[in-house]
Amino acid sequence: MTAPSTPGTPPPGPPPSGPPPSTPSPGSAPPPGLTVRPAVFGDAQAVCALINEVDLLETGRADTEPAEIQGDLKHPEVDLERDSWLLYDGGRLIAYGLVWDDSGGERIDMDHYTLPGHTQGVRYLFDLMEARAGERAAANGAARAVIHLHLNAAPTVDLDVLRARGWHPVRRYNVMDRHIAPADDPLPPPPAGVRLRTCLEEPDRRRAHALLQESFADHFDFQARTYEQWLHDIDGDRVDWTLIWIAAVAGLGDAAVLRTHNDRPSMAWISNIGVLREARGRGLGSYLLRHAFGHHAALGRHRIGLGVDTDNSSGALALYERHGLTLDYAVSTWELTRPV
């Protein structure tokens, strides 16, 4: 998640065609032959290509679109000059790093993609990223930085390098997928007393945000976000609001929310299924899941996927398995704690 120094505004002039001279780094220079600089908005295409190259190695599939990276690079909570890094070997982009802060406290997030075989460059980039994460936590008044990084279970980055730096895995997520087809996945009728509506109007968008905040508040690594922050997180300017639904239950009112999107090349995607605690046990999660299957099958998609915390206490993993979703690949959350 990133943003240019002027939030939402691309820098003037054409995007850079190659790496400029290395940006001075705190404490040390890059390893010989490597250069590093901050990202700018015009780098979205190059970053996207790198991420897809890494994903092809890790999962066999390239699913990232440039618009997704552009959404990251214009996020107002990230200062690209200090929170992003592009690492080059000659004229070849070999690694991308990003730091951002959703918590306003000690919890800081990192993102990192690197091509294999560049261990010295990885160590150097992690020096810069970890130091910046500490600065961001310190700016929040925290005494330490608790940094999280999501990595494929079999990543291109050398995990021994991370372990030697004090990183360790703390959570596992399964990315699951399933074949869908109109004949097999018709739109299900709603349960008795349940009414579904899309979020075309602003009040419903705000209500969807509130439902997500409440229903996920007790989940691992949840960070509370204002409505405006959430819109930036999901790149609200390009969201298809017809693919987000609110479920109202007789006697309870708005009780659940389903957020999906249809912009991944290989499959439709379920981002969130949130059910308020008082509405659980009524089959709402199952209904919303089957609604997503049916709706995206009718749009012509053949596969649909989602990610799930394998330690989720709500039983989400078992629910998804009962509805035919199977493991595609696994992602681990790695954690590093450092004083600031």
Side-chain angles (χ1 to χ4, degrees):
M1 190 175 60
T2 50
S5 299
T6 303
T9 304
S17 58
S22 173
T23 303
S25 60
S28 66
L34 303 184
T35 56
V36 65
R37 66 168 173 85
V40 297
F41 189 86
D43 290 315
Q45 193 79 39
V47 171
C48 181
L50 173 69
I51 291 174
N52 279 328
E53 187 173 356
V54 170
D55 285 346
L56 280 169
L57 293 170
E58 294 181 345
T59 70
R61 188 170 56 248
D63 249 352
T64 302
E65 293 287 295
E68 184 178 344
I69 307 304
Q70 289 170 346
D72 290 347
L73 296 179
K74 68 181 183 183
H75 198 287
E77 293 180 7
V78 177
D79 179 353
L80 286 184
E81 184 67 29
R82 294 183 293 172
D83 295 331
S84 68
W85 299 264
L86 300 181
L87 185 67
Y88 289 87
D89 184 352
R92 169 88 157 125
L93 179 62
I94 61 170
Y96 164 65
L98 184 69
V99 167
W100 72 93
D101 167 25
D102 282 347
S103 73
E106 67 178 19
R107 265 284 293 108
I108 307 296
D109 284 286
M110 277 177 41
D111 205 3
H112 176 82
Y113 292 86
T114 187
L115 296 176
H118 298 281
T119 300
Q120 281 192 313
V122 169
R123 289 194 180 102
Y124 175 72
L125 208 54
F126 269 77
D127 284 343
L128 301 180
M129 295 166 69
E130 291 168 11
R132 177 59 180 156
E135 290 175 359
R136 295 213 60 166
N140 293 334
R144 64 178 190 170
V146 179
I147 314 167
H148 281 187
L149 169 69
H150 298 291
L151 291 175
N152 186 282
T156 55
V157 66
D158 186 342
L159 295 181
D160 288 338
V161 171
L162 293 192
R163 291 188 182 98
R165 302 180 69 88
W167 289 86
H168 61 282
V170 294
R171 207 73 165 191
R172 172 182 160 126
Y173 295 84
N174 283 356
V175 175
M176 310 179 76
D177 66 350
R178 177 190 189 276
H179 177 77
I180 54 175
D184 301 326
D185 300 289
L187 278 175
V194 174
R195 182 175 61 86
L196 206 60
R197 69 183 189 273
T198 56
C199 293
L200 292 177
E201 303 299 327
E202 178 74 7
D204 285 331
R205 298 175 189 184
R206 290 183 174 274
R207 185 63 184 137
H209 161 260
L211 288 167
L212 287 170
Q213 293 293 295
E214 184 174 350
S215 59
F216 283 93
D218 57 353
H219 285 214
F220 173 75
D221 219 10
F222 170 80
Q223 306 295 332
R225 305 291 281 164
T226 67
Y227 176 66
E228 290 72 20
Q229 289 172 327
W230 178 69
L231 286 180
H232 287 301
D233 294 344
I234 66 173
D235 197 6
D237 290 341
R238 68 182 188 95
V239 165
D240 183 348
W241 295 99
T242 68
L243 300 180
I244 303 177
W245 295 269
I246 292 171
V249 178
L252 288 178
D254 296 337
V257 59
L258 167 66
R259 185 168 78 90
T260 73
H261 55 92
N262 194 29
D263 53 3
R264 294 192 175 194
S266 67
M267 67 179 77
W269 189 256
I270 300 171
S271 298
N272 304 108
I273 298 178
V275 180
L276 297 185
R277 183 176 295 278
E278 59 269 26
R280 294 172 188 170
R282 298 167 177 256
L284 282 176
S286 178
Y287 165 62
L288 292 175
L289 188 64
R290 290 184 294 121
H291 180 84
F293 295 166
H295 188 87
H296 285 280
L299 293 177
R301 298 313 299 261
H302 301 293
R303 298 202 71 77
I304 194 166
L306 52 75
V308 59
D309 179 354
T310 57
D311 289 330
N312 187 316
S313 60
S314 69
L317 178 59
L319 169 69
Y320 300 151
E321 290 174 337
R322 287 198 303 271
H323 285 83
L325 287 147
T326 57
L327 177 66
D328 185 9
Y329 60 90
V331 173
S332 295
T333 299
W334 288 70
E335 182 175 282
L336 174 71
T337 300
R338 58 173 287 167
V340 301

